[in-house]
Amino acid sequence: MRCPFCHNPDSRVIDSREADEGATTRRRRNCPKCGRRFTTVEEAVLAVVKRNGVSEPFNRSKVVAGVRRACQGRPVDEGQLKLLAQQVEDAIRATGAAEVPSNEVGLAILGPLRELDEVAYLRFASVYRSFTSVADFEREIAELKGREAGPTSTDPAPPPPRDPVPSGG
């Protein structure tokens, strides 16, 4: 790492610490030439590859802006949107890929958004998945209803009614 004071191309790491919940690494460095100390912050760059092939850094605020439109008029606050964007970024980073296609970002949004607000999920999914008919909405709503009902019960059937016991008269 180049020294910002004397521009010596080499420096020595004195101390390293994780910051921002492990997303960045702060390193304290010492320049062997001028003896001055400085701090660097390292962050793994996550790039999103757009459909046209252009690559740009992942931007959480773009996720929030896109989801905010879907949540318009819904009982969703800014804190929930920021948490969703963090969940999306965490999910994408967990793949270990340095570059991800933009459609994977959209897929990563769908799951947390469905849990947050189903109406906003339908709005986002209709644009993201390019719904072209009412049937597309009906199919998605049926899937949401199926998730609400949950899996079929595995409880045993109730016992059959008993015959009345004759009274000993």
Side-chain angles (χ1 to χ4, degrees), residues 117-163:
D117 187 277
E118 290 179 341
V119 172
Y121 164 78
L122 277 174
R123 290 175 179 172
F124 188 87
S126 70
V127 173
Y128 179 73
R129 292 186 178 160
S130 303
F131 286 7
T132 57
S133 68
V134 173
D136 293 335
F137 281 95
E138 289 172 339
R139 197 171 20 260
E140 199 66 38
I141 290 170
E143 185 179 315
L144 284 172
K145 284 182 178 179
R147 286 186 70 236
E148 270 181 21
T152 56
S153 177
T154 56
D155 294 337
R162 292 184 176 191
D163 290 334

Side-chain angles (χ1 to χ4, degrees), residues 59-81:
N59 187 341
R60 233 187 272 171
S61 62
K62 282 189 171 187
V63 172
V64 170
V67 174
R68 184 181 292 124
R69 282 191 298 269
C71 293
Q72 202 165 9
R74 301 296 304 156
V76 176
D77 64 37
E78 197 66 23
Q80 291 171 305
L81 292 177

Side-chain angles (χ1 to χ4, degrees), residues 14 45 47 52 59-60 68 83-84 110 113 132 134 149 162 169:
I14 299 170
V45 176
N52 63 6
N59 187 341
R60 233 187 272 171
R68 184 181 292 124
L83 179 61
L84 182 139
L110 288 174
L113 185 55
T132 57
V134 173
R162 292 184 176 191

